[in-house]
Amino acid sequence: MQVQQCNDLCANLKHLEAEAIFVIREVVAQCERPVLLFSGGKDSIVLVELAHRAFAPGRLPFPLLHVDTGHNFAETIEFRDALAVRTGAQMIVRYVQDSIDQGRVVEEQGPNASRNGLQTVTLLDALAEFRFDAALGGARRDEEKARAKERFFSHRNRYGQWEPKQQRPELWNLFNGRKHVDEHFRVFPLSNWTELDIWHYIRSRTIPVPSLYFAHERQVFRRNGVLLAASPFVPRFYGERVEMRQVRFRTVGDITCTGAVESAATTVEEIIVEIAAARVTERAARADDQRAETAMEDRKRQGYF
């Protein structure tokens, strides 16, 4: 029985890998100036691995783009820089702080302030600066209901906006990459993957990931049911008590809105067991998604990842 389950798992991962590689190659075939959006999270790391496999033994035919909020976890930035050196990939970094300094966006104020939503303007400016016509992202349909509406090739208008009702049909893996000048596509090769698939693939390919994903001791405090990392970027309300807990992060984003979960999982195998038994999604610990029921869809309509 266990052998059969292992064979089925391997077959599923091979299918997902082949599908993602096919989509990545389609992007390069149809688009003139693609880029891969790199967040430092597990999904974008897997996407980089798949892109290397798609074009091996050659180099990546597109750069990586990271939008740095200035409020990232230190572990994320260290991993990003190490990955660029290890893989030889061109890493373009654009900063939300520059958008603030230029008056392009206004920084939020108050204890719940976050730069997460401000990334949209910085991203759209970067896409326009380099004239990128396709941006590969690591979003998956199982993450959140707004992302479940995405196609593999998700059309964006000249303002970078997304309209779910105007997306094109994708039958028999045929992708329509035609667009007008100044329009672009967000492309999601991992659309059919699940969080568990991602971790099984990380284990099967021995892919390095940031230490944030593994259980470690960290100072945290609880706000609205979410464990947030104690940080100079996150002012605390009166009565919010900082505690040392053993936690890990299921997602990696801006430190102001990325919640931790209490965990003892220190290996990929233990993470897989933990996720298999979980009854809440990984984004349940994202404070930015709790601002409104349609928070993610609203951000995506404005040009968010």
Side-chain angles (χ1 to χ4, degrees), residues 26-178:
E26 276 292 299
V27 171
V28 173
Q30 295 195 45
C31 303
E32 295 181 3
R33 299 178 66 85
V35 67
L36 191 153
L37 303 180
F38 184 79
S39 68
K42 62 185 184 305
D43 302 304
S44 63
I45 293 169
V46 166
L47 196 55
V48 172
E49 171 74 15
L50 290 164
H52 277 288
R53 290 184 175 276
F55 303 105
R59 297 172 64 89
L60 289 182
F62 43 71
L64 313 184
L65 171 63
H66 180 230
V67 177
D68 189 339
T69 67
H71 294 170
N72 297 99
F73 290 94
E75 295 93 329
T76 303
I77 302 304
E78 291 170 6
F79 187 91
R80 177 199 70 190
D81 295 341
L83 179 138
V85 172
R86 184 175 72 252
T87 63
Q90 178 189 359
M91 181 72 71
I92 300 170
V93 182
R94 288 296 178 266
Y95 300 91
V96 170
Q97 184 63 54
D98 290 340
S99 298
I100 295 171
D101 294 342
Q102 294 163 9
R104 297 281 292 142
V105 295
V106 177
E107 187 153 23
E108 295 180 357
Q109 302 297 319
N112 289 316
S114 173
R115 289 186 174 182
N116 196 54
L118 306 187
Q119 296 179 79
T120 298
V121 172
T122 309
L123 171 62
L124 294 177
D125 286 348
L127 295 178
E129 175 187 354
F130 293 97
R131 295 183 293 114
F132 292 129
D133 57 356
L136 291 142
R140 310 184 322 269
R141 291 184 181 130
D142 77 317
E143 287 182 87
E144 202 271 344
K145 57 187 177 182
R147 286 183 166 166
K149 298 178 182 179
E150 293 277 21
R151 302 287 199 268
F152 279 101
F153 273 53
S154 186
H155 178 262
R156 297 298 198 269
N157 66 21
R158 61 182 299 186
Y159 304 106
Q161 296 171 328
W162 173 67
E163 178 48 62
K165 294 182 180 180
Q166 296 180 0
Q167 296 303 306
R168 301 163 182 179
E170 293 178 342
L171 307 175
W172 307 292
N173 285 338
L174 296 177
F175 305 117
N176 183 352
R178 294 183 179 182

